[in-house]
Amino acid sequence: MARIRKVDTKPELVVRKLLHAKGFRYRLHRRDLPGCPDIVFPGRKKVILVHGCFWHRHECPAGRKVPRSKPEYWGPKFDRNRARDARNAQELAAIGWRLLTVWECELSNLETVTRRLVRFLR
Ligand SMILES: [Zn+2]
């Protein structure tokens, strides 16, 4: 299946900027980790994923949206995305990594997101 997420999507850049401003340094897109996580903190063994609500089926209005055309195509595609996210999270946990998912819609409140990020990384 083709990649559903472009590298350097905008929400990810927003999160990276927040982290940088807080003094956190990270690595990007470690291909040797399950799911090639977006933002990686090797010393802390922590990763942050920035998920688009639509593609990754967040429990928010954007994540519940289903295109009106070709439901027989979108349903299975969304199921696969969810299954893959769950599998990646399990595999990361199994090798001792902790994971924080930041949803696109959360970026409407940068203060709250920043607090979550800092709490996760401390
Ligand atoms: Zn959302």
Side-chain angles (χ1 to χ4, degrees):
M1 189 178 73
R3 289 176 66 88
I4 51 138
R5 168 177 61 78
K6 279 184 244 128
V7 173
D8 292 338
T9 50
K10 194 160 172 281
E12 187 189 322
L13 287 181
V14 173
V15 172
R16 277 158 58 180
K17 240 180 237 167
L18 293 176
L19 290 165
H20 203 263
K22 284 287 172 189
F24 293 110
R25 297 296 176 261
Y26 45 80
R27 304 270 302 279
L28 296 176
H29 308 293
R30 279 262 306 258
R31 296 191 178 280
D32 55 326
L33 290 175
C36 185
D38 300 328
I39 301 172
V40 182
F41 300 84
R44 296 175 162 89
K45 280 194 104 175
K46 291 179 180 178
V47 304
I48 294 174
L49 301 181
V50 185
H51 277 179
C53 298
F54 176 74
W55 288 110
H56 294 271
R57 302 281 88 190
H58 191 210
E59 309 269 321
C60 73
R64 285 195 293 263
K65 221 175 261 174
V66 179
R68 230 170 263 172
S69 67
K70 292 203 270 177
E72 71 286 359
Y73 165 79
W74 291 105
K77 189 176 177 68
F78 288 145
D79 289 346
R80 282 196 303 274
N81 288 352
R82 285 181 109 136
R84 187 182 43 213
D85 288 343
R87 193 174 60 239
N88 288 337
Q90 273 171 10
E91 286 178 14
L92 280 166
I95 55 173
W97 287 73
R98 291 190 51 214
L99 165 71
L100 176 74
T101 300
V102 175
W103 293 95
E104 192 177 1
C105 64
E106 291 181 84
L107 299 177
S108 61
N109 188 337
L110 293 183
E111 255 174 61
T112 305
V113 173
T114 303
R115 269 201 301 277
R116 274 190 79 205
L117 293 171
V118 170
R119 214 181 306 131
F120 173 69
L121 290 169
R122 271 208 189 117

